[in-house]
Amino acid sequence: MRIKSLLAIGGLCLVALCAAPMANAASDDGSKRCVRCHDDDDLPDWSKSVHAVKADARTPSCIACHGPSPTHIDKPAGVSERPKPDRVFSKHGGLMPAERSEVCLSCHDKDAKRALWASSAHPSADVACTTCHKVHTNHDRALSKTTEAALCFSCHKEQRVQAMKPSRHPIVEGKMSCSSCHNVHGSFGDKLVKRDSTNDTCFSCHAEKRGPFVHQHEPVSDNCANCHNPHGSTIAGMLTARPPMLCQQCHTPHVAGEVGALGGQPGVYSRANPDQGPQIGAGTSGKNVVTMWQGRSCLACHTQVHGSNNPSATNPTPQLMFR
Amino acid sequence: MNKIVSHAGLRRTIIAAALVAAFASARAQQDAVVERSVGVGAALVSGDSADRSIYGQYNGYRQDRSYGLLDVDYYRRDDDAGRMTSFRGRNLLGETRELGFIWKRQGQWKFRAGYDEIVRYEPYQINSGLLGAGSTAPQVVHLGAGVGTGSTIEPVTRRRALSVAVTHHIREGLQFDASLSSENKDGSRLFGRGFNCPTPLLPGCATTTGISAGWATLMLPEPIDTNHTQLDARLSHASGKLRLSGGYYGSFFENAHGSINPGIPGSLNGPLGNPLPLAAGLQAALAQAVALAPGNEAHQIDIAGNYLFTPTTRGMFKLGYSRALQNQDFPGAGLSGTPPGVSNLGGSLDTTLVQLGVHSRPVARLTLVADLRFEDRDDNTPIRYYNLVGSDIVYTNRNYSRSRLRGKLQGSYQFSSEYRGTIAVGHDALDRGAFTPTSWVRGISALREKTDETTFKAELRRRMTENFSGAVTLSTARRGGSNWSMPNAGPGVTELADISGFAYDAVFMPSLADRKRDKLRLSANWQPTEALSLQFSVDEGRDRYELPTGYGLNGSAMSSYTLDADYALDDDWRLNAYMSFGDQQLQQARAAGTILSFDNRNATLGFGVNGKPSSKLEVGAVLSVMHDRNRYSQGLDTYAGANSAGLLAATGGLPDIAFRLAELRLYAGYKLSANSSLRADMVHHRARFNDWAYGYAGFPYAFSDNTTLSQQNQQQVSFIGVRYIYRWK
């Protein structure tokens, strides 16, 4: 597919789209009285926010979100403390999380990516839109790859720890974020993954694992998380356990020696006691305790653990993921 | 293969365009807001490549001592017209550069384009005599002088992605979105080849003796040269009570390499590390073509949406159909020996997805959620005799059709303004279909056609005061399934109603075995003062597998305890800190071998401060410390022999693997004038990692050609970067 041609076509389409008539600027009557007090000195600069674009007819005024708030605007006589606005979006505002989210959804539920919010995991845990998003700012932490993960880690502590481990995705570097894999607003996939399944989500970056292959490894096509922890691990390849432990959870072991041991330990290459020779000798098979627990372990021979497309019916054939 | 994103000329063009966009004069227009900034600077990094193998894995700071820093920003906004243009470039002189362009008229259309680079340096360094490492024809060369006498190979993988996206609000309630991305990935990563003789898979290959080597393991980096192009298009409609969208997703993966064909010498190390001639048959076996990932594609169309039946009841649905195809030409990929008349796999997987859901609040205090998901995967890949064992056993590939039905019913009741209770029940039924009778499995004791699992969950949330809230959640799940099936001596499997038909040492997979799963979660948020907030959470979980023989994964457990605190000293200064303790355990057993108890314990501390000492100065610091320990405790199975007992006594078992990390990040930003500022970043990173995978106690693990891998156990890196940022409007 030639990207240059596609970009040119896209540009031409864009020119055509730009010929559409400009929207009329929205009326701002709903904000005039508010900004008499809540002016530029009171609020941070949010002029770049999408909620501040006056020319967009959909842009809400202050009272569209915060309510008419008549007693807040005109403090009643005899009241010592000015009442709060009708809708305050902080923890102390008196609104339940679902009520806060309903205000946002009055506009944003038209977006296909938020269509499943109501039944998803976050509102069930009393997470509101404003728990993560800040409206009156030019830098909403939830909208930047470099700051989003820290926001998610404020609740997802286990993932915070895993992201620090040596085998991980580049989240700390800001090259990926939680929303690279998850649709936090609701998804048909497990654990709010972006696509319909964990595997489909993984394949969006790791398409080489999709296959199908001549020789399939069934747990791979079932669920990548059968073997991997995508948030991080101390084991290379983000594995949940190292080979041969991981592999022997499903497969019959074939190791002479049977206990785990390493080259450099007594008894492996050296005689540890008069009654027993060293584990490794001149005639020791390749399936020995050192090759099983060190190096690439099972993957030294079973290299194609994700599946092999080798069709060869010539011995040794590639079944058992050899090649 | 689309090479456009990897062309060096294109990268220079992009950088030049970024600078032009930043420095070009804006056309004067009334009410237009234009902001531009350029940040230039330099960074110094201490240590060498070995010191930075963990720190420099993804940030592009693995190799050199000094780096240039260049960022640009351009922003233009026309409030009256509602148009916005922005251009952003990050790390333009580094290996992880990013460019983003947005042009939009909010509420009408939006165009985005982006360029993104990701680099990954393999933490391990390879010392090898291998020629052509990272190519499709590497030549194995035995290091006759011993380990460590070869050349250093540092595999690196680079991704470069170009993307465009467009959004058009056609009219009120009708929106079109489309995106196209193309990513090139090249480089190499750890891979290998190995074989052990004798084996029924290769009649005639000879065993290892004192004068010939009958097995070998080799490190051969996998060459990577791929392109992945993805197209997403969606038309969304929203009006009244209906939200409806239809979409297409296409994914196209191409691999320039079909196979690796290594050159194998006639001699490699024997079991004791001394070079020996290869036993009969081994050299030819090792030199056979190794298949790489084949090109493939996937297409999905779907219709999804929701309908508001009443103001308090919403129904949701998704209907999807996808097809995954793989028809790589075998000869073109360098793969031979195919069954007669077969030139490609003809792989085809069709998946149908139906998902329905209802969310309802029939009365103010009660919320009901119901979900039902049915997924049917139909494997239409032709079944052919790809496999041969010895000289007379032939069998086919397998059919992997399956279907899955999942449902959930959940009810939440708001007892009062403080209490809300939730109960939920879910069921998951997976049918893997009948085993292909002409196929064959080895290395597996038991398979199972069907599994089903029922989950119960109960939760109580209490919003005790405005400043204190908490929740406790309990869930329990029970999984069972159909009868187990035992692989036949030849093709096929036989379902056994009586488990006693299995061998005493049969292994039952954790993904198929009956399982009891229990979880407890406690969480609390407390804000005793306006300035101080505390969070506390506890997670406990346990899986117990019912294995008829007791061999395999018997159980696992996890626990996690965290405490977070956030304190605002005043309007300008903020402190935060956290402590986290976690423990994960696995217990598994091998017949006549070990009972292995794996325990991963982790303790993590963090402390952060940020503030503004003056109106011109902003500072911050984050300290993160992690101690992670993996313990592999071994006991002896009842049937373990004297050899196992003797080895365990001699070695003392497998050593612990500890990972320790301490990282201090400091930053400071100083405003020089209304238009200019300085930004300094400093990182001090220390890591200790004694993973014994490639060496222990000074004894390296050597591949059969004396290739070794190493990673410095103790690593220490300091980074300092300073930027001058100039902004103008």
Side-chain angles (χ1 to χ4, degrees):
Chain A
M1 204 172 288
R2 298 185 65 80
I3 297 301
K4 278 184 177 172
S5 302
L6 283 166
L7 285 173
I9 292 168
L12 287 171
C13 291
L14 185 64
V15 169
L17 291 171
C18 292
M22 192 173 68
N24 292 326
S27 165
D28 205 26
D29 289 343
S31 303
K32 281 181 182 170
R33 298 197 69 189
C34 307
V35 297
R36 285 190 324 204
C37 295
H38 299 291
D39 55 14
D40 291 345
D41 292 331
D42 183 52
L43 292 172
D45 179 15
W46 57 296
S47 59
K48 297 179 185 176
S49 165
V50 294
H51 292 101
V53 178
K54 298 172 189 173
D56 184 352
R58 305 169 306 168
T59 296
S61 61
C62 305
I63 62 173
C65 297
H66 291 284
S69 311
T71 57
H72 178 75
I73 295 174
D74 295 313
K75 185 162 88 78
V79 173
S80 59
E81 195 172 314
R82 184 181 293 272
K84 293 179 185 174
D86 293 343
R87 293 192 283 261
V88 177
F89 293 91
S90 67
K91 276 194 296 189
H92 311 295
L95 285 182
M96 302 296 282
E99 292 170 324
R100 283 184 251 152
S101 297
E102 267 187 41
V103 176
C104 308
L105 290 170
S106 64
C107 293
H108 289 286
D109 82 329
K110 299 178 181 64
D111 186 340
K113 291 179 187 172
R114 288 157 192 74
L116 302 176
W117 168 259
S119 59
S120 68
H122 283 116
S124 299
D126 279 348
V127 176
C129 306
T130 51
T131 306
C132 301
H133 290 286
K134 295 291 173 270
V135 171
H136 298 286
T137 179
N138 284 335
H139 303 288
D140 186 352
R141 285 198 303 162
L143 300 180
S144 168
K145 268 193 302 189
T146 53
T147 53
E148 181 193 289
L151 188 62
C152 304
F153 293 158
S154 60
C155 292
H156 296 280
K157 316 293 188 187
E158 193 182 345
Q159 286 72 22
R160 175 176 62 187
V161 171
Q162 291 164 348
M164 293 171 63
K165 296 193 176 184
S167 182
R168 55 183 173 78
H169 283 105
I171 295 172
V172 169
E173 290 80 5
K175 300 303 293 184
M176 283 181 69
S177 62
C178 308
S179 61
S180 301
C181 301
H182 298 279
N183 182 350
V184 300
H185 301 113
S187 167
F188 285 107
D190 292 334
K191 309 288 186 185
L192 297 182
V193 291
K194 286 173 80 168
R195 306 211 69 88
D196 292 332
S197 67
T198 300
N199 279 28
D200 287 343
T201 303
C202 300
F203 295 155
S204 62
C205 290
H206 301 284
E208 71 274 14
K209 308 296 191 293
R210 181 164 53 208
F213 301 93
V214 173
H215 305 285
Q216 298 267 85
H217 191 194
E218 194 167 4
V220 173
S221 50
D222 177 37
N223 191 339
C224 304
N226 280 333
C227 298
H228 295 282
N229 184 342
H231 299 115
S233 168
T234 49
I235 301 164
M238 287 183 266
L239 294 175
T240 56
R242 66 176 56 230
M245 270 189 69
L246 179 63
C247 314
Q248 289 173 359
Q249 291 177 5
C250 295
H251 293 284
T252 54
H254 55 184
V255 177
E258 294 148 351
V259 302
L262 313 173
Q265 287 189 306
V268 177
Y269 286 99
S270 57
R271 181 185 289 269
N273 62 69
D275 300 325
Q276 185 167 319
Q279 205 62 35
I280 309 289
T284 300
S285 161
K287 302 172 193 174
N288 61 65
V289 69
V290 171
T291 58
M292 288 302 295
W293 281 92
Q294 291 188 283
R296 288 175 59 77
S297 181
C298 308
L299 279 70
C301 294
H302 301 281
T303 58
Q304 312 289 63
V305 69
H306 295 105
S308 171
N309 204 49
N310 199 324
S312 177
T314 304
N315 281 327
T317 51
Q319 78 272 24
L320 309 181
M321 311 306 169
F322 280 132
R323 59 185 180 93
Chain B
M1 178 70 55
N2 184 357
K3 295 289 189 186
I4 195 162
V5 293
S6 62
H7 198 287
L10 175 65
R11 292 203 296 277
R12 288 194 287 271
T13 301
I14 287 171
I15 293 171
L19 293 171
V20 167
F23 285 99
S25 303
R27 188 182 63 188
Q29 266 202 359
Q30 198 170 7
D31 296 333
V33 174
V34 180
E35 297 175 7
R36 284 159 285 191
S37 75
V38 176
V40 295
L44 296 174
V45 191
S46 71
D48 58 17
S49 180
D51 280 309
R52 307 179 207 169
S53 70
I54 293 175
Y55 172 75
Q57 195 179 171
Y58 286 111
N59 59 19
Y61 298 133
R62 177 75 183 264
Q63 304 285 15
D64 299 326
R65 280 288 182 139
S66 61
Y67 296 87
L69 305 174
L70 176 63
D71 305 317
V72 296
D73 278 284
Y74 174 83
Y75 175 86
R76 177 191 168 87
R77 188 180 79 241
D78 186 331
D79 287 324
D80 288 341
R83 266 197 295 257
M84 188 275 275
T85 306
S86 83
F87 182 87
R88 180 185 158 100
R90 287 289 173 271
N91 199 22
L92 296 177
L93 301 179
E95 293 185 283
T96 59
R97 55 180 65 85
E98 290 180 21
L99 293 159
F101 173 76
I102 298 175
W103 187 31
K104 69 176 183 178
R105 179 173 281 167
Q106 189 170 305
Q108 296 202 25
W109 47 262
K110 181 176 181 180
F111 176 76
R112 281 180 292 126
Y115 175 77
D116 196 3
E117 293 180 350
I118 299 178
V119 65
R120 180 183 181 265
Y121 285 92
E122 168 58 46
Y124 281 99
Q125 292 179 313
I126 304 172
N127 183 282
S128 177
L130 188 70
L131 299 177
S135 73
T136 55
Q139 179 65 46
V140 176
V141 176
H142 181 267
L143 291 174
V147 299
T149 61
S151 303
T152 300
I153 301 169
E154 291 184 331
V156 59
T157 305
R158 299 181 193 279
R159 293 175 182 256
R160 299 182 183 92
L162 197 58
S163 62
V164 293
V166 63
T167 297
H168 179 41
H169 301 277
I170 300 170
R171 63 166 194 269
E172 176 69 30
L174 190 63
Q175 177 174 316
F176 175 74
D177 296 273
S179 68
L180 175 71
S181 73
S182 180
E183 180 185 80
N184 279 7
K185 183 176 170 185
D186 59 69
S188 65
R189 60 184 162 202
L190 299 184
F191 193 59
R193 182 82 174 98
F195 203 75
N196 181 70
C197 291
T199 170
L201 301 175
L202 184 60
C205 83
T207 191
T208 293
T209 65
I211 57 173
S212 66
W215 61 267
T217 63
L218 299 168
M219 166 58 67
L220 304 174
E222 176 192 350
I224 301 172
D225 186 358
T226 66
N227 175 268
H228 186 201
T229 297
Q230 300 179 75
L231 173 64
D232 230 319
R234 183 162 296 277
L235 185 66
S236 305
H237 166 74
S239 69
K241 299 179 180 182
L242 177 65
R243 307 284 182 264
L244 186 67
S245 73
Y248 165 79
Y249 170 75
S251 166
F252 307 86
F253 175 77
E254 294 177 359
N255 192 346
H257 302 313
S259 58
I260 301 175
N261 292 271
I264 308 296
S267 296
L268 290 168
N269 284 349
L272 297 178
N274 53 314
L276 295 172
L278 296 184
L282 181 60
Q283 185 180 24
L286 290 171
Q288 287 179 317
V290 180
L292 295 175
N296 59 69
E297 58 187 72
H299 307 268
Q300 182 190 39
I301 54 173
D302 73 83
I303 298 175
N306 61 66
Y307 186 79
L308 200 63
F309 291 101
T310 71
T312 56
T313 299
R314 185 187 296 267
M316 294 151 288
F317 67 94
K318 179 166 186 173
L319 306 173
Y321 176 80
S322 62
R323 173 167 286 183
L325 300 169
Q326 193 277 95
N327 53 12
Q328 179 198 53
D329 182 63
F330 290 134
L335 301 172
S336 60
T338 61
V342 175
S343 62
N344 64 72
L345 174 67
S348 177
L349 284 174
D350 293 342
T351 304
T352 304
L353 171 69
V354 178
Q355 184 141 353
L356 304 170
V358 173
H359 179 271
S360 177
R361 197 185 296 174
V363 296
R365 291 171 178 259
L366 177 65
T367 304
L368 298 173
V369 176
D371 281 314
L372 190 67
R373 175 186 169 118
F374 176 71
E375 187 176 17
D376 180 68
R377 186 171 77 188
D378 190 12
D379 188 353
N380 296 308
T381 304
I383 300 297
R384 298 194 178 101
Y385 284 95
Y386 286 105
N387 301 286
L388 171 70
V389 179
S391 59
D392 55 353
I393 299 177
V394 292
Y395 62 95
T396 67
N397 52 324
R398 279 176 63 183
N399 181 294
Y400 287 96
S401 297
R402 68 177 209 179
S403 63
R404 190 169 197 166
L405 180 66
R406 282 191 279 186
K408 183 183 85 172
L409 192 60
Q410 176 175 301
S412 298
Y413 191 78
Q414 193 78 39
F415 295 103
S416 64
S417 60
E418 288 88 27
Y419 285 99
R420 186 175 84 232
T422 300
I423 55 171
V425 60
H427 190 75
D428 184 354
L430 177 59
D431 183 350
R432 297 174 182 81
F435 187 86
T436 307
T438 53
S439 191
W440 185 66
V441 289
R442 271 299 173 264
I444 294 173
S445 305
L447 291 173
R448 205 175 199 182
E449 195 171 308
K450 296 177 184 175
T451 53
D452 53 82
E453 185 170 29
T454 304
T455 305
F456 297 95
K457 175 182 152 186
E459 180 179 272
L460 183 66
R461 282 190 176 268
R462 184 175 178 187
R463 186 169 168 253
M464 296 176 190
T465 65
E466 280 190 349
N467 299 323
F468 187 55
S469 62
V472 56
T473 308
L474 283 167
S475 70
T476 184
R478 298 291 181 265
R479 184 173 72 191
S482 58
N483 291 331
W484 289 93
S485 297
M486 187 164 72
N488 298 332
V493 300
T494 301
E495 183 175 325
L496 299 181
D498 184 356
I499 209 73
S500 64
F502 287 90
Y504 83 97
D505 58 353
V507 175
F508 293 84
M509 300 182 196
S511 54
L512 302 177
D514 290 0
R515 179 181 70 188
K516 293 179 184 175
R517 168 170 283 182
D518 299 298
K519 281 192 210 174
L520 166 70
R521 181 150 210 250
L522 294 166
S523 63
N525 295 288
W526 182 34
Q527 191 166 358
T529 69
E530 189 64 34
L532 176 65
S533 67
L534 299 167
Q535 265 186 321
F536 176 68
S537 72
V538 173
D539 283 271
E540 290 273 350
R542 192 155 288 116
D543 284 348
R544 285 156 292 168
Y545 295 90
E546 293 174 11
L547 309 176
T549 58
Y551 293 121
L553 179 65
N554 280 280
S556 65
M558 66 80 67
S559 58
S560 172
Y561 303 85
T562 67
L563 177 64
D564 280 65
D566 194 278
Y567 184 65
L569 287 165
D570 54 35
D571 287 343
D572 292 325
W573 288 91
R574 197 170 199 99
L575 304 171
N576 57 76
Y578 70 88
M579 293 192 301
S580 178
F581 300 97
D583 187 13
Q584 287 189 307
Q585 298 171 12
L586 299 175
Q587 291 87 35
Q588 64 187 71
R590 288 177 42 213
T594 58
I595 299 169
L596 185 63
S597 177
F598 168 75
D599 190 357
N600 171 241
R601 295 196 177 183
N602 181 286
T604 310
L605 302 173
F607 178 77
V609 57
N610 55 74
K612 293 180 182 175
S614 72
S615 60
K616 293 189 174 186
L617 180 63
E618 185 178 345
V619 297
V622 177
L623 175 65
S624 306
V625 178
M626 171 184 276
H627 283 205
D628 187 290
R629 181 173 290 275
N630 291 342
R631 181 153 290 165
Y632 297 85
S633 303
Q634 298 182 88
L636 290 171
D637 177 60
T638 307
Y639 298 99
N643 182 62
S644 298
L647 182 61
L648 187 59
T651 62
L654 289 166
D656 293 351
I657 293 179
F659 172 71
R660 296 189 178 183
L661 172 71
E663 185 174 273
L664 175 65
R665 291 179 174 262
L666 305 171
Y667 78 88
Y670 184 75
K671 201 170 180 180
L672 295 167
S673 68
N675 291 345
S676 64
S677 60
L678 280 176
R679 162 95 188 194
D681 291 273
M682 201 211 84
V683 178
H684 184 66
H685 175 106
R686 292 191 179 201
R688 292 175 64 179
F689 196 18
N690 66 339
D691 194 333
W692 37 248
Y694 290 103
Y696 175 71
F699 200 94
Y701 175 85
F703 290 88
S704 297
D705 60 346
N706 276 336
T707 290
T708 52
L709 270 68
S710 63
Q711 186 177 167
Q712 195 163 291
N713 282 1
Q714 296 191 43
Q715 301 176 23
Q716 185 172 315
V717 186
S718 293
F719 167 96
I720 182 160
V722 179
R723 283 180 177 81
Y724 172 78
I725 303 165
Y726 187 79
R727 295 184 178 85
W728 70 103
K729 299 189 178 183

